[in-house]
Amino acid sequence: LGPPPTFAMGFKVPECVETDAWGPPVDSVDADRALTYAPFTRSDKFGRAADWNMTGYAKYAGNRYNAGQGGVSTVFNFFANDEEDSFSLVDNTPAPRQRYGARGKFQNRNFQRRNWNQATVEGGDMGKGAERERARQQRMQSKKQQQWNTWAHNRNRETVTYSGSVDIRPDWDVAEQVNLVQLTKLQAASLPPHEELAQCGALGVFDKTYDRVTPKLDRDLQKSKKNSHNPTTSDDPVMANLMEKKSGTVYATDAMVSAVMCAARSVYGWDLIVTKKDGVLVMDKRPEGSFDLLTVSETAQDPITDDKENINGVHKLSEESTRCNFDYAQQVLTEESENFGDGRDPFGTGDANAAKVGYRYRRWDMGGGVVLVSRHELNGVTDSKGAKALLSIKTLNEFDSKIAGVDYRKQIETQRGAVIATELKNNANKLAKWTCEALLAGADQLKLGFVSRTHPKDPNNHAIVNTQTYKPKDFAQQINLTEGNMWGVFKSVVDMCMKMEDGKYLLVKDANKPILRTYVVGADDFNDDYASEPIDRED
């Protein structure tokens, strides 16, 4: 190869010795200056001399350099074991940042609460202020826990799908649709004045001994043998006479008017037939329909089952409540009766065993050419402060205290307010409709009877446990029912129907949505038994 090159700097390149083995010869290596050798595996990590405290990796994965080495240290890692006592590392831990927003505030409040509780425990009682603060903290925690329990209960409870009041035909078209939530904000500009058109029927005298009935001195509810007559608008002879005289533009009964006025509070489905001809609306209930049946626990938090065979289902409870309401209204009246108005039978039935009911036919001018003519019912009369007081008598029935959440026999005397509050929550729509009917009929008092089953599993036998008396206007304020909203809702629905063409329509409240729909039906619909049975639809 030739002699190695020489450089001006005096650096001499070592000579290359050719041998039969790999690497330099053994005698040419200085053992003292040789590199230290230690066995290692691929999992071993080499330390960095400049990384004194390993802050860059220790905060993410603990001791990164010793991870996976099985506790065997290598000679390539640096360990500062022999540091001087005067030497200290600089603390480069980042300062805590102030958190903003709801989460940060909540955590700060919890931190302050823990510090306050700790100071209270360490320092002992700090006086009345500390007691008030502890009570306030406990109330807040209890309220939050209650809200959480309510949310979890509503989330986990089963949803019930109710069947509609009528089976909708495929060939029916939707003419109008109203969201009931919007109706709660309506207000009439002024309350319409009323005019008496006719008064007829008879009123029984209320037996005041039922005002003193208590759970310990209860009375059995007797099944009345009286006959109930409640014809629809078109079948009322007095209404037919008023239609001939063109006394109004809208004709209906008090139950129909109250159902429309309180539609925003209803949950179950219901329907009415609306016939328009020559600018006149006539509302009727559907033959073989369930419009006259009362509801039970319609607005309760826990929905009632829709099983038709269950005694605590929607259908069986409605039949039971309607029967109890009629029996109670007849039982609390004495044999003495008074003629109301001209005293004649408005329906011309000639039934000597008919129930004692007084009827008022009134006209209401709602403005804009809309005049309502309606029939109203009164159930009795009593002496009040030397004057005659007209009564509207209704009944609330208890079927199972565990389901309804209230026990009449245990709470009706000592916790009367709690019983009424529970009933207002469970039967908001029914009580609102009864109050509407009492206000429209001009009743002086509203009698509410509380009836309970003799046994929770016996829907046929009941006992009267209490009777309470309210003034309709005062009770309306208690349930947040205003006459301005009542007439505003009814006027809005009537105006909607007046805009439609002449024909026959079906006003339907959806059973599972807060929606009121108007369907266009045929002139001969509901004259047969078509709508009384469900339609078998093909899949």
Side-chain angles (χ1 to χ4, degrees):
L1 290 173
T6 58
F7 298 92
M9 296 177 63
F11 176 78
K12 183 179 181 181
V13 179
E15 296 182 1
C16 294
V17 181
E18 296 183 4
T19 61
D20 295 335
W22 292 94
V26 179
D27 55 356
S28 64
V29 177
D30 187 357
D32 297 333
R33 302 176 59 186
L35 293 175
T36 305
Y37 172 76
F40 64 94
T41 61
R42 297 190 178 203
S43 61
D44 292 339
K45 305 298 180 181
F46 289 94
R48 293 185 299 175
D51 193 2
W52 300 103
N53 51 14
M54 304 181 187
T55 57
Y57 299 93
K59 65 181 180 180
Y60 297 108
N63 193 347
R64 172 173 177 158
Y65 304 113
N66 293 336
Q69 296 182 10
V72 179
S73 61
T74 66
V75 297
F76 303 103
N77 285 346
F78 173 80
F79 298 95
N81 294 328
D82 299 331
E83 295 181 355
E84 297 181 0
D85 295 338
S86 61
F87 180 76
S88 61
L89 296 176
V90 178
D91 185 10
N92 58 357
T93 303
R97 293 181 300 175
Q98 177 69 28
R99 294 189 177 184
Y100 299 93
R103 182 178 179 182
K105 294 180 180 179
F106 180 75
Q107 292 179 348
N108 289 339
R109 288 198 299 268
N110 290 341
F111 181 74
Q112 295 174 1
R113 186 181 303 153
R114 287 195 298 268
N115 292 344
W116 182 85
N117 292 335
Q118 183 178 2
T120 303
V121 173
E122 294 177 356
D125 191 2
M126 295 184 295
K128 294 183 178 180
E131 294 180 359
R132 288 194 296 268
E133 181 64 20
R134 282 195 296 269
R136 189 184 69 85
Q137 297 285 349
Q138 292 176 358
R139 288 194 301 269
M140 292 177 59
Q141 292 179 0
S142 177
K143 183 178 180 180
K144 291 180 180 179
Q145 184 66 27
Q146 184 179 4
Q147 292 175 351
W148 168 258
N149 293 338
T150 303
W151 176 85
H153 174 76
N154 294 337
R155 182 185 182 187
N156 297 329
R157 69 174 181 175
E158 297 180 359
T159 58
V160 178
T161 302
Y162 296 106
S163 57
S165 60
V166 61
D167 195 85
I168 305 300
R169 291 189 181 186
D171 56 339
W172 291 347
D173 296 330
V174 178
E176 295 290 344
Q177 179 173 304
V178 179
N179 190 341
L180 296 179
V181 178
Q182 301 175 355
L183 299 182
T184 58
K185 303 178 182 179
L186 297 179
Q187 290 289 334
S190 59
L191 299 181
H194 69 274
E195 178 186 354
E196 295 287 345
L197 299 178
Q199 293 183 355
C200 49
L203 293 175
V205 179
F206 181 78
D207 188 355
K208 293 186 177 181
T209 59
Y210 284 91
D211 285 333
R212 297 186 292 271
V213 172
T214 63
K216 296 181 180 180
L217 301 175
D218 59 355
R219 295 191 183 183
D220 293 336
L221 181 64
Q222 305 295 331
K223 294 179 174 58
S224 177
K225 297 181 180 180
K226 299 289 185 179
N227 297 326
S228 175
H229 299 283
N230 186 22
T232 186
T233 308
S234 300
D235 296 338
D236 188 343
V238 179
M239 278 288 192
N241 186 25
L242 294 175
M243 291 179 191
E244 293 180 359
K245 296 179 180 180
K246 298 182 180 181
S247 301
T249 57
V250 182
Y251 298 87
T253 64
D254 56 349
M256 302 172 189
V257 175
S258 63
V260 176
M261 288 182 172
C262 303
R265 303 183 183 221
S266 61
V267 176
Y268 299 158
W270 51 269
D271 59 273
L272 288 173
I273 298 176
V274 179
T275 305
K276 181 186 178 185
K277 184 178 180 181
D278 299 332
V280 176
L281 290 179
V282 179
M283 293 184 178
D284 289 294
K285 56 185 178 182
R286 182 170 50 85
E288 300 185 10
S290 59
F291 182 78
D292 289 333
L293 295 180
L294 301 177
T295 60
V296 178
S297 294
E298 180 180 1
T299 57
Q301 185 176 8
D302 295 329
I304 304 298
T305 178
D306 199 29
D307 186 5
K308 294 184 178 180
E309 302 300 328
N310 192 337
I311 61 172
N312 293 333
V314 173
H315 301 278
K316 293 293 184 181
L317 286 177
S318 296
E319 295 175 355
E320 178 184 353
S321 178
T322 305
R323 184 174 62 253
C324 290
N325 186 69
F326 177 76
D327 293 342
Y328 175 83
Q330 298 303 312
Q331 183 173 341
V332 297
L333 300 179
T334 63
E335 295 296 331
E336 182 183 358
S337 63
E338 299 179 2
N339 289 334
F340 186 67
D342 54 16
R344 61 188 175 92
D345 180 9
F347 310 135
T349 59
D351 186 3
N353 199 32
K356 301 173 184 178
V357 180
Y359 299 94
R360 268 180 170 171
Y361 293 84
R362 289 184 164 186
R363 176 163 54 195
W364 310 80
D365 188 0
M366 295 185 289
V370 179
V371 179
L372 170 66
V373 175
S374 53
R375 183 187 73 211
H376 306 275
E377 295 184 4
L378 295 168
N379 305 111
V381 63
T382 187
D383 292 331
S384 177
K385 298 180 181 180
K388 297 290 184 179
L390 301 176
L391 303 179
S392 177
I393 304 174
K394 306 298 179 182
T395 307
L396 292 169
N397 64 302
E398 177 193 35
F399 59 97
D400 192 339
S401 59
K402 296 181 180 179
I403 299 177
V406 61
D407 192 336
Y408 285 176
R409 298 181 182 272
K410 293 181 180 180
Q411 298 176 280
I412 195 65
E413 286 187 303
T414 59
Q415 300 178 4
R416 182 174 299 181
V419 173
I420 292 297
T422 304
E423 291 297 336
L424 291 176
K425 180 181 66 174
N426 295 342
N427 299 284
N429 182 40
K430 179 168 66 175
L431 288 171
K433 290 196 296 183
W434 286 347
T435 308
C436 278
E437 295 174 6
L439 291 173
L440 296 176
D444 300 311
Q445 294 180 6
L446 174 62
K447 293 280 187 179
L448 285 182
F450 293 84
V451 174
S452 176
R453 290 180 181 176
T454 56
H455 191 276
K457 295 184 179 180
D458 185 6
N460 299 318
N461 297 310
H462 302 80
I464 304 173
V465 297
N466 196 256
T467 300
Q468 297 183 20
T469 305
Y470 299 92
K471 292 184 178 179
K473 290 187 177 182
D474 296 341
F475 195 73
Q477 294 179 354
Q478 186 175 351
I479 65 176
N480 196 23
L481 179 68
T482 61
E483 294 187 67
N485 178 254
M486 288 164 43
W487 288 107
V489 172
F490 188 78
K491 181 68 163 49
S492 175
V493 175
V494 169
D495 290 342
M496 177 190 69
C497 296
M498 283 294 187
K499 295 179 182 178
M500 299 184 296
E501 299 179 355
D502 290 357
K504 193 173 184 180
Y505 301 89
L506 187 66
L507 189 66
V508 180
K509 160 63 176 65
D510 193 289
N512 299 290
K513 297 179 181 178
I515 295 176
L516 192 65
R517 296 188 181 93
T518 304
Y519 292 92
V520 181
V521 300
D524 297 332
D525 289 347
F526 311 117
N527 295 331
D528 51 16
D529 295 336
Y530 179 89
S532 62
E533 297 293 337
I535 298 177
D536 295 332
R537 301 181 184 274
E538 297 181 357
D539 295 336

